């Protein structure tokens, strides 16, 4: 990643990147960006990823590293550790999904969607949450009608 990339035609073709991010958050593809030069990532989907190598604060081309090779070595080391991060992320999603479905509550699904907004369970979580909200509204309407009668 660099400012040049973020302003390039490829990065500006949002549908290309959005499809990649969608696949990433569904655990069908894993994006591991390498931050080559300092750039403004505020509000970008890149900050939602599991990792940005070498790290968000220290791009490859920065004074933090004594030499570019040191930064690239760190990228390679972290990249080798990435499968463990992916496995841990999948476990977190599955665990959070189990908690949400066990609680079967609006707040449970809200917490899940807040933590994993683009997971493969997103649509199901939204549907279950909407169903629970609708049921709550029907109960309130019925209670109001019963009280009025």
């Amino acid at each position: 990643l660099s400012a040049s990339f973020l302003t390039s035609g490829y990065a500006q073709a949002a549908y290309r990147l959005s499809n990649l991010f969608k696949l990433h958050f569904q655990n069908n593809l894993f994006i591991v960006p390498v931050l080559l030069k300092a750039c403004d990532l505020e509000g970008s989907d890149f900050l939602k990823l599991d990792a940005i190598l070498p790290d968000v604060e220290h791009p490859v081309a920065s004074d933090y590293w004594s030499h570019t090779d040191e930064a690239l070595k760190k990228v390679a080391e972290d990249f080798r550790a990435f499968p463990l991060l992916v496995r841990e992320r999948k476990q977190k999603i599955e665990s959070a999904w189990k908690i949400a479905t066990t609680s079967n509550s609006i707040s449970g699904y809200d917490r899940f969607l807040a933590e994993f907004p683009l997971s493969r369970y997103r649509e199901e979580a939204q549907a279950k949450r909407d169903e629970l909200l609708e049921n709550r509204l029907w109960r309130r309407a019925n209670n109001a009608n019963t009280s009025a009668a």
Side-chain angles (χ1 to χ4, degrees), residues 52-72:
I52 294 179
L53 304 180
D55 67 55
V56 170
E57 301 298 320
H58 306 108
V60 170
S62 72
D63 293 337
Y64 179 80
W65 307 103
S66 59
H67 195 276
T68 304
D69 288 344
E70 180 186 6
L72 294 174

Side-chain angles (χ1 to χ4, degrees), residues 8-97:
S8 72
Y10 188 83
Q12 293 299 318
Y15 67 93
R16 291 180 189 156
L17 285 178
S18 67
N19 286 339
L20 292 176
F21 282 109
K22 181 179 178 183
L23 290 169
H24 173 87
F25 289 112
Q26 292 173 342
N27 292 321
N28 295 321
L29 168 81
F30 298 99
I31 300 171
V32 184
V34 175
L35 187 60
L36 296 176
K37 295 182 179 180
C39 57
D40 183 10
L41 296 175
E42 188 66 35
S44 79
D45 285 337
F46 289 105
L47 291 178
K48 297 176 187 173
L49 298 174
D50 300 300
I52 294 179
L53 304 180
D55 67 55
V56 170
E57 301 298 320
H58 306 108
V60 170
S62 72
D63 293 337
Y64 179 80
W65 307 103
S66 59
H67 195 276
T68 304
D69 288 344
E70 180 186 6
L72 294 174
K73 180 182 177 204
K74 174 77 169 128
V75 167
E77 290 168 354
D78 289 350
F79 190 78
R80 281 193 293 276
F82 194 69
L84 177 61
L85 287 173
V86 170
R87 194 169 25 259
E88 289 172 356
R89 181 173 173 272
K90 282 184 176 183
Q91 289 170 346
K92 283 174 64 175
I93 291 171
E94 295 302 323
S95 176
W97 179 243

